[in-house]
């Protein structure tokens, strides 16, 4: 139940800070896919919970109708609201390969609808997708740097057991990034993003039991430390190569 999930999370936060407030995060799956009546019920319920001061809603660009966008715009006028869009890459050839089921043009159309309604937009990207080289990953960052985004989450590709991509990896159709390649790519991307853009994530770790690779991703703090060290080595920072 939603109430139980929120209560558990607020209790966890309050162990660190007795005055902690929370943004209710609708994270898993596609959280604008249900009928509007269902979405209203869930989102409004979350906002009535003590110490919840806003919402973060993860979804896909092809699952936001004009009707839902209008409701989200109304929500944004009375609470903190961030909508997260799983783009992964600006390259449609990659989108087709990973079965994203919508184009970059589709994403841009929905992004504009949200921005026009005063909604903060966060975009997820993934480094190391099949068929992408370093320049393609940098082009994703370069293209997003020209949008009016609130934030970005940078992920690396995790390959999990029992997936189509697991078979593709086993068949040698693509290779996983090394930690060094990933660190270099993230630092390159950070240099391209505007300095005011909020970077919410620079890596992630998959579940150990289902992860095929890369195994180095399980040491998330090590990856984050290597990114920091590389920026220091370069004497660099977010936005160093940003072209406004």
């Amino acid at each position: 139940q939603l109430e139980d999930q929120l209560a558990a999370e607020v209790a966890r936060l309050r162990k660190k800070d007795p005055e902690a407030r929370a943004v209710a995060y609708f994270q898993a799956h596609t959280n604008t896919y249900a009928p509007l009546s269902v979405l209203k019920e869930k989102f409004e319920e979350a906002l009535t919970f003590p110490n919840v001061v806003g919402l973060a809603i993860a979804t896909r660009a092809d699952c936001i109708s004009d009707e839902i966008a209008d409701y989200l715009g109304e929500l944004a006028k009375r609470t903190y609201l961030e909508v997260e869009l799983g783009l992964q890459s600006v390259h449609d050839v990659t989108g087709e390969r990973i079965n994203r089921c919508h184009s970059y043009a589709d994403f841009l159309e929905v992004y504009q609808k949200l921005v026009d309604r005063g909604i903060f937009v966060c975009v997820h990207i993934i480094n190391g997708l099949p068929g992408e080289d370093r320049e393609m990953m940098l082009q994703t960052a370069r293209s997003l740097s020209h949008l009016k985004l609130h934030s970005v989450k940078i992920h690396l590709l995790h390959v999990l057991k029992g997936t189509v991509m697991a078979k593709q990896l086993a068949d040698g159709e693509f290779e996983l990034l090394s930690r060094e390649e990933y660190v270099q790519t993230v630092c390159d991307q950070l240099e391209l993003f505007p300095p005011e853009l909020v970077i919410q994530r620079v890596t992630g770790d998959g579940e150990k039991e289902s992860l095929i690779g890369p195994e180095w991703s399980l040491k998330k703090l090590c990856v984050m430390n290597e990114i920091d060290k590389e920026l220091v080595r370069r004497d660099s920072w977010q936005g160093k190569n940003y072209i406004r």
Side-chain angles (χ1 to χ4, degrees):
Q1 296 295 322
L2 182 59
E3 183 177 355
D4 295 337
Q5 294 178 51
L6 286 170
E9 186 60 22
V10 170
R12 185 184 69 83
L13 291 172
R14 292 210 151 191
K15 288 182 180 179
K16 299 180 179 180
D17 180 1
E19 302 299 321
R21 297 183 178 185
V23 172
Y25 188 13
F26 290 80
Q27 180 181 21
H29 308 297
T30 304
N31 292 285
T32 58
Y33 190 66
L36 181 58
S37 59
V38 175
L39 298 179
K40 284 184 176 181
E41 177 186 350
K42 300 300 183 184
F43 298 158
E44 299 295 342
E45 179 184 355
L47 288 173
T48 65
F49 198 80
N51 304 305
V52 168
V53 295
L55 302 173
I57 301 169
T59 187
R60 298 162 49 100
D62 56 341
C63 294
I64 299 181
S65 64
D66 287 344
E67 182 183 39
I68 290 174
D70 287 340
Y71 168 63
L72 295 175
E74 187 271 321
L75 264 182
K77 293 177 181 178
R78 53 188 170 92
T79 191
Y80 174 87
L81 176 65
E82 179 178 78
V83 173
E84 300 188 2
L85 298 177
L87 174 65
Q88 322 317 352
S89 170
V90 301
H91 303 286
D92 285 341
V93 64
T94 303
E96 292 175 6
R97 187 165 183 174
I98 65 175
N99 199 32
R100 186 178 60 194
C101 297
H102 65 274
S103 67
Y104 183 50
D106 295 332
F107 160 82
L108 289 175
E109 181 179 352
V110 171
Y111 150 80
Q112 195 61 53
K113 287 180 182 179
L114 297 176
V115 170
D116 289 345
R117 288 165 173 78
I119 300 167
F120 290 138
V121 176
C122 173
V123 173
H124 291 238
I125 63 174
I126 297 178
N127 290 326
L129 289 168
E132 291 215 349
D133 58 19
R134 174 181 172 277
E135 181 52 37
M136 291 176 74
M137 291 180 253
L138 296 190
Q139 185 55 51
T140 288
R142 201 173 287 116
S143 296
L144 294 181
S145 74
H146 299 309
L147 303 182
K148 296 179 180 179
L149 298 177
H150 172 264
S151 51
V152 164
K153 292 185 177 181
I154 306 173
H155 303 264
L156 70 154
L157 177 68
H158 294 115
V159 177
L160 305 180
K161 296 175 183 176
T163 62
V164 172
M165 208 169 282
K167 184 178 185 306
Q168 293 172 342
L169 180 65
D171 291 343
E173 295 184 25
F174 70 98
E175 296 181 356
L176 297 174
L177 291 179
S178 68
R179 189 176 72 176
E180 174 65 16
E181 288 172 325
Y182 182 75
V183 167
Q184 294 294 325
T185 299
V186 170
C187 291
D188 291 342
Q189 290 171 325
L190 291 175
E191 291 175 342
L192 293 171
F193 284 132
E196 66 272 15
L197 181 71
V198 177
I199 306 297
Q200 293 195 25
R201 179 182 289 276
V202 292
T203 187
D205 48 350
E207 292 185 2
K208 186 175 182 179
E209 295 73 19
S210 59
L211 181 69
I212 292 177
E215 292 187 3
W216 57 261
S217 67
L218 294 172
K219 297 181 178 180
K220 185 165 63 174
L221 288 178
C222 289
V223 179
M224 295 169 66
N225 287 338
E226 288 302 311
I227 292 170
D228 285 341
K229 286 160 58 177
E230 175 60 19
L231 289 173
V232 171
R233 188 194 69 79
R234 296 182 182 192
D235 187 24
S236 191
W237 56 88
Q238 180 183 334
K240 182 177 182 179
N241 295 329
Y242 170 60
I243 300 176
R244 193 172 297 275

